[in-house]
């Protein structure tokens, strides 16, 4: 653990399910919180009124992001492949361009993102991603390739980034900090389940974990069978 002096945090995509968990956890840690979300989603943050600053606007608008990340020690970004206008890559680029030098930048995505091509996916997983990509493109609602491009830009940057790759997500009470490994396909990850609240926990914990700088951890719930089975043996990551 490390990164002293974490004080002010920006949550980009604050109104979504993952974003709201992260806002709550940041407030519980005593951080000052700035959230960015689309104008129409501001009411979703009503529960936090008076306890955070909201900057309304598209998260891929560089001007919105520049104002939101001003003075922030860390930025937690929910990368989503929605729309057909490079929403994910535009969001990532705006954060990379405008966060202060040295800030901790933590991005969320799924297991389908690979950093070094050494992840091993099941046929079912690959098929699912392909179907989602094709259907998403057909209805002009999802652009998975653009989330891939967003992460490529993050991986290529010399900032203090972490890309957290979530397994299939479930709602429910927290089970604790997820465990992680560098590659999908590693046995510890086999259960492919994480509580969404714990995905948020991992993102927020990454802000102060220097071991995760320039890592792309794939995570799984710490109480899942595969995590428990490997609890006494070393995973290749955390
Ligand atoms: N869902 C899964 O099973 C799963 C699995 C692995 C990884 N992940 C990762 O987890 C993260 C959170 O995903 P989630 O599924 O749990 O969703 P989520 O937390 O509910 O977040 C969805 C986000 O997408 C925004 N959004 C929705 N429609 C949009 C549109 N048309 N244009 C622009 N933004 C739009 C939402 O903003 P508004 O509040 O403004 O609507 C919100 O910020 C993502 O990085 C995802 O890749 C998810």
């Amino acid at each position: 653990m490390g990164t002293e002096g974490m004080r002010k945090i920006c949550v980009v995509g604050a109104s979504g399910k993952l974003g709201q968990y992260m806002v709550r956890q940041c407030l519980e840690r005593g951080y000052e919180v700035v959230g960015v979300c689309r104008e129409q989603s501001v009411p979703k943050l009503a529960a936090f009124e008076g306890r955070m600053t909201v900057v309304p606007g598209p998260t891929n608008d560089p001007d919105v992001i520049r104002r939101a990340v001003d003075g922030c020690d860390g930025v937690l970004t929910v990368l989503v492949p929605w729309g057909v206008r490079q929403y994910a890559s535009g969001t990532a680029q705006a954060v990379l361009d405008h966060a202060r030098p040295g800030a901790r930048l933590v991005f969320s995505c799924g297991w389908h993102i690979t950093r070094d091509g050494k992840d091993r996916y099941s046929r079912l997983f690959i098929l699912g991603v392909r179907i989602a990509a094709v259907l998403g493109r057909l209805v002009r609602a999802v652009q998975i390739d653009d989330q891939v491009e967003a992460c490529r830009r993050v991986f290529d940057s010399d900032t203090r980034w972490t890309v957290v790759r979530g397994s299939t997500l479930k709602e429910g009470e927290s089970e604790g900090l997820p465990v992680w490994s560098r590659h999908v396909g590693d046995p510890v990850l086999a259960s492919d389940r994480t509580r969404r609240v714990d995905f948020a926990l991992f993102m927020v914990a990454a802000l102060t974990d220097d071991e995760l700088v320039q890592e792309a951890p794939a995570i799984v719930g710490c109480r899942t069978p595969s995590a428990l089975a490997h609890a006494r043996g070393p995973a290749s990551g955390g």
Side-chain angles (χ1 to χ4, degrees), residues 46-57:
F48 304 108
E49 202 173 334
R51 292 192 288 151
M52 69 181 289
T53 304
V54 178
V55 179

Side-chain angles (χ1 to χ4, degrees), residues 163-233:
V163 173
V164 183
R165 302 185 294 150
S167 68
T168 301
L169 300 180
K170 296 283 174 204
E171 289 301 332
E173 296 276 301
S174 172
E175 296 179 326
L177 194 66
V179 297
W180 67 277
S181 192
R182 285 203 178 89
H183 295 108
V184 175
D186 289 344
V188 67
L189 301 174
S191 295
D192 185 12
R193 287 284 177 280
T194 309
R195 299 273 167 97
R196 196 177 259 103
V197 65
D198 295 329
F199 190 175
L201 202 59
F202 195 93
M203 296 275 295
V204 174
L207 289 169
T208 50
D209 189 347
D210 283 350
E211 285 179 14
L212 290 173
V213 171
Q214 301 202 345
E215 288 278 4
I219 63 171
V220 76
C222 65
R223 308 291 306 162
T224 58
S226 63
L228 292 173
H230 288 78
R232 288 196 187 82

Side-chain angles (χ1 to χ4, degrees), residues 28-44:
E28 283 168 4
R29 285 184 174 218
Y31 298 148
E32 181 183 341
V33 177
V34 180
V36 185
C37 69
R38 298 185 293 166
E39 190 102 42
Q40 67 265 39
S41 302
V42 173
K44 293 195 206 169

